[in-house]
Amino acid sequence: MIHTTSEKLFDRAVQVIPGGVNSPVRAFASVGGKPVFITKASGSRMWDVDGNEYIDYVGSWGPMILGHAYQPILDALRTVMTDGTSFGAATEREVEMAELIRSIMPSIEMVRMVNSGTEATMSAIRLARAYTKRNKILKFDGCYHGHADSFLIKAGSGAATFGVPDSPGVTASVAEHTLTAEFNNIESVRAQVQQHPHEIASIIVEPVVGNMGCIPPKNNFLNDLRTLCDAENIVLIFDEVMTGFRVALGGAQERFNIKPDLTTLGKIIGGGLPVGAYGGKKEIMKMIAPSGPVYQAGTLSGNPLAMAAGMAQLKILKTDSSVYEKLEQSGSLLEKEIGQFIAQKKYSVTINRVGSMMTLFFTSQPIRNADDARTCNTKLFGEFFQSMLNEGIYLPPSQFEAAFISSAHSSKDLEKTVKAVQKSLSKVFEM
Ligand code: HOZ
């Protein structure tokens, strides 16, 4: 594949944009080479500025669950935009959106729209702190909850990929209030709770981790967190920015049947436009201004275009159950075909999958937490990524990310993907 135009664009970009990208995970620094610059996307496909075509498994990091440029979303946008793009005032659509979210996720009795997952998580912990009158939060090593200061402690995603899980610029006085524990290890959580009695306001967790690659929760882990939070009056926050409306219509809380106190949501409820939200128990949510004293605001929150696109997507997800059946079938087919090949060849690769989220970890050991994920051979992953790109498959450019399948991925796409994986694995393991 030729990437001359992308390379030239990247050379220009690094002069004016830090690292040449507007979000670190887009850079190819950990997999080698320069990022490809995308011009357009449709269904399961994306095209770059050099005219190369890819089957896309990033899906804008999750929201394109129905595929790119999905017609009902485009139609909704066209209809709404002629009435104006932002008012900074209340609209009927925001009410409809809140009602729609509540009807799909019953743990969300009230919801506040924001503009990104980062805004949702940082607002949710402020609220939890105010509600409990406690200062500390507990997060899990390798989980990523956006880039607010409190979360850049043992953070996953781009922070892990680029070796800055504890970012400079986060003050010691902020960091001291973020405790960490090991995902899937309830004893490590209990130890922290015992060491900090009545100090922890909230435990925040990705119920299925996406940001150190895809890691499912062990049997009782989420249940044990719920029980512990109830016993200690700690606010349990499920960060469902990736898993909401993805691993089931009602997110991980529906799939694993656990009710968090608060939930944070992101991009998927904007159908590809910048959106986030946080919601949960009325008793807690009523503390947000103007009904309560916890301040949080935003001019573009509940933006008409974002609400229209998001609702168009959510309404289809709510009414067409075949979407989730297809996502499960596609994920299971990829896992089975690739898994059989890996077993037959005895390659050191472990596959984790939950529904349409999936990661190939370049190690033979089971991946249950961040320490397991760190055993991966990231150099081999980089070579695999480059080979896949060359075969026309666009994967997340990091070992510590999940790939996302959409309902637009056809059986032909999946077939082509399996072949490309087989070719690429053979290449990197038998070179
Ligand atoms: N958490 C997403 C990736 N794991 C966010 C994408 C981004 O940071 O750009």
Side-chain angles (χ1 to χ4, degrees), residues 20-74:
V21 288
N22 278 315
S23 191
V25 294
R26 292 175 205 175
F28 283 17
S30 74
V31 289
K34 297 175 180 178
V36 292
F37 282 65
I38 302 300
T39 45
K40 62 173 184 176
S42 175
S44 61
R45 308 283 167 143
M46 289 205 306
W47 290 266
D48 71 16
V49 283
D50 289 289
N52 300 307
E53 181 176 314
Y54 305 96
I55 301 174
D56 176 31
Y57 286 96
V58 175
S60 190
W61 303 97
M64 314 321 293
I65 189 164
L66 298 168
H68 291 281
Y70 192 69
Q71 201 56 49
I73 296 179
L74 301 185

Side-chain angles (χ1 to χ4, degrees), residues 326-385:
K326 183 165 186 208
L327 291 173
E328 190 61 49
Q329 276 164 12
S330 301
S332 142
L333 184 139
L334 285 180
E335 182 183 14
K336 188 167 146 252
E337 302 272 317
I338 298 168
Q340 278 170 357
F341 181 75
I342 289 167
Q344 184 199 334
K345 296 284 182 180
K346 298 192 170 54
Y347 292 148
S348 293
V349 176
T350 296
I351 305 180
N352 276 6
R353 179 183 74 87
V354 178
S356 53
M357 290 171 72
M358 183 168 157
T359 301
L360 266 61
F361 292 96
F362 278 67
T363 175
S364 50
Q365 75 169 74
I367 304 291
R368 299 145 302 191
N369 54 46
D371 279 340
D372 292 340
R374 287 186 199 107
T375 65
C376 288
N377 186 333
T378 51
K379 186 173 165 287
L380 269 194
F381 174 83
E383 288 164 15
F384 170 74
F385 170 87

Side-chain angles (χ1 to χ4, degrees), residues 114-225:
V114 290
N115 299 288
S116 70
T118 291
E119 247 189 89
T121 52
M122 74 180 199
S123 309
I125 58 161
R126 179 185 304 141
L127 178 60
R129 282 172 164 149
Y131 178 73
T132 56
K133 301 190 177 62
R134 299 172 179 177
N135 286 335
K136 296 200 187 298
I137 61 154
L138 185 143
K139 72 175 282 290
F140 293 91
D141 182 7
C143 280
Y144 178 77
H145 305 288
H147 61 88
D149 286 2
S150 295
F151 299 119
L152 291 180
I153 318 289
K154 293 195 182 174
S157 188
T161 306
F162 292 93
V164 284
D166 306 290
S167 173
V170 175
T171 60
S173 57
V174 168
E176 76 173 281
H177 290 305
T178 300
L179 308 172
T180 59
E182 188 176 69
F183 187 73
N184 273 329
N185 177 353
I186 194 68
E187 288 314 319
S188 71
V189 185
R190 287 202 184 104
Q192 288 285 28
V193 172
Q194 272 160 21
Q195 271 174 43
H196 302 278
H198 312 295
E199 286 185 274
I200 302 176
S202 169
I203 293 179
I204 183 164
V205 64
E206 291 179 78
V208 172
V209 186
N211 285 298
M212 40 181 147
C214 175
I215 306 185
K218 279 208 288 206
N219 291 345
N220 284 327
F221 181 63
L222 297 176
N223 218 349
D224 289 345
L225 283 181

